[in-house]
């Protein structure tokens, strides 16, 4: 395989963004912070430390970051056994694998959370490799997660497409020098995704699958 399809997971292949919004909101609430849900939504896709910094500011008590992250992890874990993949997400990955694409996941999830996401996708036979939060020092919008995914696939940026649902995904992919494709199923506006670097925008995995013959993953 000399070409790679790199995918974000949360909000791109699995319908989890709003679960993250609610569980982060509750984690902040328990710690005494009033953070609007719309602000959390626009921060989903960042690593936990960057998300907390963006929402609470650099003058926060950073010693409590780990407590906030642990609370979010515990709250979110209650959904692990029923995370819903988007329609045709697994079929999309399998079709790409059949078409000789190396399919690589690039996600800020790790450990049991990543296991739950992969279970929801039910497409392990089509996934070549996974670049998780444990594998990089800087998460999106830094290019490192996408660059590591390309290293795992053994593919140059010019032979890769990155699919994601947030502005952080698009910025990471653009900085890594790959073609960026966005999906709207994570809840971020088309204009914001295009401004961040998306060259094509689709409704979700099913729309992307239906467009394979003449789309960026042809």
């Amino acid at each position: 395989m000399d070409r790679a399809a790199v995918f974000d997971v949360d909000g791109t292949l699995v319908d989890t963004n709003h679960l993250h919004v609610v569980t982060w909101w509750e984690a902040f609430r328990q710690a005494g912070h009033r953070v609007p849900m719309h602000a959390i939504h626009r921060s989903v896709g960042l690593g936990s430390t960057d998300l907390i910094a963006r929402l609470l500011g650099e003058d926060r008590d950073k010693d409590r970051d780990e407590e906030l992250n642990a609370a979010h992890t515990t709250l979110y874990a209650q959904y692990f056994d029923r995370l819903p993949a988007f329609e045709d997400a697994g079929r999309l990955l399998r079709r790409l694998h059949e078409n000789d694409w190396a399919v690589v996941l690039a996600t800020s999830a790790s450990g049991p959370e990543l296991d739950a996401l992969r279970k929801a996708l039910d497409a392990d036979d089509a996934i070549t490799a996974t670049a998780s939060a444990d594998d990089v020092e800087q998460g999106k919008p830094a290019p490192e997660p996408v660059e590591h995914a390309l290293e795992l696939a053994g593919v140059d940026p010019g032979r890769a497409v990155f699919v994601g649902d947030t502005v952080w995904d698009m910025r990471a992919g653009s900085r890594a020098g790959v073609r960026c494709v966005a999906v709207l199923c994570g809840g971020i506006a088309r204009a914001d995704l295009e401004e961040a670097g998306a060259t094509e925008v689709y409704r979700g995995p099913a729309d992307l699958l239906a467009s394979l013959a003449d789309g960026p993953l042809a």
Side-chain angles (χ1 to χ4, degrees), residues 176-206:
V178 304
R179 183 175 183 177
C180 295
V181 174
V183 287
L184 298 172
C185 47
I188 302 301
R190 177 187 295 267
D192 292 341
L193 295 167
E194 291 175 337
E195 183 179 354
T199 58
E200 294 91 6
V201 181
Y202 292 83
R203 292 189 298 275

Side-chain angles (χ1 to χ4, degrees), residues 6-86:
V6 182
F7 285 87
D8 171 62
V9 182
D10 282 299
T12 299
L13 297 172
V14 186
D15 191 5
T16 53
N17 278 7
H18 289 85
L19 295 176
H20 280 298
V21 170
V22 171
T23 51
W24 271 117
W25 175 84
E26 178 61 17
F28 285 126
R29 189 197 68 80
Q30 290 178 3
H33 301 289
R34 294 174 58 89
V35 182
M37 289 193 187
H38 71 84
I40 299 173
H41 180 216
R42 295 189 65 83
S43 301
V44 167
L46 293 171
S48 59
T49 300
D50 291 335
L51 181 146
I52 293 167
R54 186 169 190 266
L55 294 169
L56 297 186
E58 292 298 333
D59 59 347
R60 69 192 186 282
D61 181 359
K62 296 178 183 178
D63 291 339
R64 300 197 66 186
D65 283 6
E66 187 54 41
E67 176 186 338
L68 282 166
N69 185 39
H72 164 257
T73 299
T74 299
L75 291 161
Y76 182 63
Q78 67 184 307
Y79 299 104
F80 279 0
D81 63 346
R82 55 192 187 279
L83 298 180
F86 285 115

Side-chain angles (χ1 to χ4, degrees), residues 45 47 50 136-145 172:
D50 291 335
V136 298
E137 293 185 5
Q138 288 187 304
K140 306 165 193 170
E144 190 175 350

Side-chain angles (χ1 to χ4, degrees), residues 13 88-95 97 103 105 117-128:
L13 297 172
D88 285 340
R91 285 184 60 203
L92 172 62
L93 301 189
R94 289 194 187 91
R95 181 71 62 80
H97 178 72
V103 176
L105 307 182
L117 291 166
R118 291 184 68 136
K119 182 179 179 181
L121 283 170
D122 190 25
D124 274 354
D125 54 322
I127 298 171
T128 302

Side-chain angles (χ1 to χ4, degrees), residues 133-209:
D134 295 332
D135 302 320
V136 298
E137 293 185 5
Q138 288 187 304
K140 306 165 193 170
E144 190 175 350
V146 180
E147 291 171 344
H148 182 57
L150 297 181
E151 290 173 4
L152 293 173
V155 172
D156 293 331
R159 296 288 294 168
V161 175
F162 178 49
V163 183
D165 69 296
T166 69
V167 296
W168 319 116
D169 292 326
M170 299 301 101
R171 291 176 184 173
S174 296
R175 291 168 181 171
V178 304
R179 183 175 183 177
C180 295
V181 174
V183 287
L184 298 172
C185 47
I188 302 301
R190 177 187 295 267
D192 292 341
L193 295 167
E194 291 175 337
E195 183 179 354
T199 58
E200 294 91 6
V201 181
Y202 292 83
R203 292 189 298 275
D207 188 25
L208 190 52
L209 176 62

